[in-house]
Amino acid sequence: MRPNGRRTTLADIAQAAGVSVATVSKVVNGRGDVAPHTRVRVQELLHRHDYLAPVFRHTEAVENPTIEVQFKGGLKSYVAETLEGIVDAAAESGASVVVSKASSAPHWARDLVSAGRRAVIAVTSVHTAAHLKELARSGLPLVVLDPLHLPDSRVHSVGATNFAGGLSATRHLLSLGHRRIAYLGGPAMAVCNQARVHGYRAAMEAEGAPVPEAYVRPGEFTYESGLAGAAELLDLDEPPTAVFAGNDEIALGVVETARARGLRVPEDLSVVGFDDTSLARMASPPLTTVRQPLREMGAAALRTALRLANGEKAESHHIELATELVVRASTAPPPEGG
């Protein structure tokens, strides 16, 4: 397939597969008018011989590029709102977006290349060194939206001011008179969670409010984690009068656990969330929360991906958009004697 060490060509692949060069070209460019069994055979040969289409060397701009957007887990409110920002920005720019769940299948990046993708946006997904290596080999730039871990130097990312958000949420509760404030968060090693914890601790320290070890509890960014974490907090000998939750789903779990125990929110327990998804606005009571500009973050990720796909330099390696506290009905002064 590579006589004299030269690069594999479409003609080489076509000869090995027993098809025309035009058919191989259709597979490489993601065209649909190829028989399934022929497509599979051609893709296997492309993978085996490490073929990379010249178009993905990013030497020239493409008028209507296609961007792959990947996420892990369920299509929750947070993901849906960031996707809305991505799709709206794509429509304005004339780009196309394909949404999928993150894959660990062999040669997944080269499959994206064969399907005509020009870049990948990952929504919070964690990519391993192997993932990054395959993306680099395939010539596909990666933009991570709200990264869970510190991004690799090869990865561009978009996030929000999580430390400032944690600071403002805690200061709000302190201003209401709370001193027994707990933090119920996501994974301990997640970058966004660490920043929110640091903001919380900074506000508490500045006010001289104690932070018992049991008041800071990592978990998952899920409703179920909020249910379980709130139960542990409320079982303490001196339970908190307020909980700052790492996201809106956790906060709703806290509200439900309080309700099940006969506690009123906010009269008996104040709760603050993070994200300001539609869940916060529909909650009962409506949730005080820190707004992440999710749609704007999605749009920024899309614009960055397009620049990289066209061989341009991004304006910044990491873009960070401002958070904002939104006060609703889930916070109030602590109960008397609390």
Side-chain angles (χ1 to χ4, degrees), residues 43-65:
Q43 287 178 333
E44 287 177 349
L45 288 166
L46 291 168
H47 295 153
R48 187 185 310 163
H49 297 284
D50 207 24
Y51 178 80
L52 179 60
V55 68
F56 285 94
R57 297 171 192 168
H58 305 299
T59 54
E60 59 182 40
V62 173
E63 185 175 353
N64 301 113

Side-chain angles (χ1 to χ4, degrees), residues 18-67:
V19 299
S20 67
V21 172
T23 297
V24 177
S25 179
K26 289 178 181 179
V27 174
V28 169
N29 290 293
R31 293 274 298 276
D33 51 341
V34 179
H37 67 280
T38 300
R39 181 182 302 280
V40 170
R41 186 165 73 256
V42 170
Q43 287 178 333
E44 287 177 349
L45 288 166
L46 291 168
H47 295 153
R48 187 185 310 163
H49 297 284
D50 207 24
Y51 178 80
L52 179 60
V55 68
F56 285 94
R57 297 171 192 168
H58 305 299
T59 54
E60 59 182 40
V62 173
E63 185 175 353
N64 301 113
T66 300
I67 307 299

Side-chain angles (χ1 to χ4, degrees), residues 123-263:
V123 182
T124 73
S125 299
V126 178
H127 281 74
T128 65
H131 287 138
L132 296 178
K133 182 178 180 181
E134 182 167 356
L135 282 166
R137 283 165 56 91
S138 300
L140 282 174
L142 171 67
V143 179
V144 179
L145 204 158
D146 207 6
L148 288 180
H149 295 166
L150 286 172
D152 184 278
S153 60
R154 295 166 289 178
V155 178
H156 289 75
S157 58
V158 177
T161 54
N162 290 293
F163 176 87
L167 194 70
S168 64
T170 311
R171 282 177 173 173
H172 168 66
L173 293 169
L174 289 165
S175 72
L176 292 172
H178 292 277
R179 291 300 179 271
R180 302 203 322 256
I181 304 169
Y183 176 76
L184 193 56
M189 298 308 295
V191 172
C192 58
N193 184 73
Q194 291 180 9
R196 292 166 198 175
V197 171
H198 291 328
Y200 156 81
R201 287 188 179 278
M204 296 290 280
E205 181 177 343
E207 192 67 20
V211 181
E213 183 178 349
Y215 273 24
V216 180
R217 293 177 179 267
E220 300 295 331
F221 287 123
T222 63
Y223 175 76
E224 292 75 17
S225 186
L227 291 172
E232 293 174 349
L233 288 172
L234 295 175
D235 283 339
L236 295 173
D237 292 338
E238 192 172 40
T241 61
V243 176
F244 169 34
N247 75 347
D248 292 342
E249 286 199 31
I250 294 173
L252 293 186
V254 174
V255 171
E256 174 56 23
T257 293
R259 185 204 63 78
R261 294 187 176 214
L263 299 176

Side-chain angles (χ1 to χ4, degrees), residues 82 159-161 275 291-299 321-324:
T82 56
T161 54
D275 286 341
R291 179 181 182 268
Q292 283 201 92
L294 299 176
R295 292 176 180 82
E296 294 89 338
M297 289 162 61
L321 303 184
T323 53
E324 177 187 5

Side-chain angles (χ1 to χ4, degrees), residues 65-81:
T66 300
I67 307 299
E68 185 86 6
V69 180
Q70 297 185 336
F71 66 96
K72 293 184 71 175
L75 187 57
K76 299 181 179 181
S77 184
Y78 168 91
V79 176
E81 294 190 28

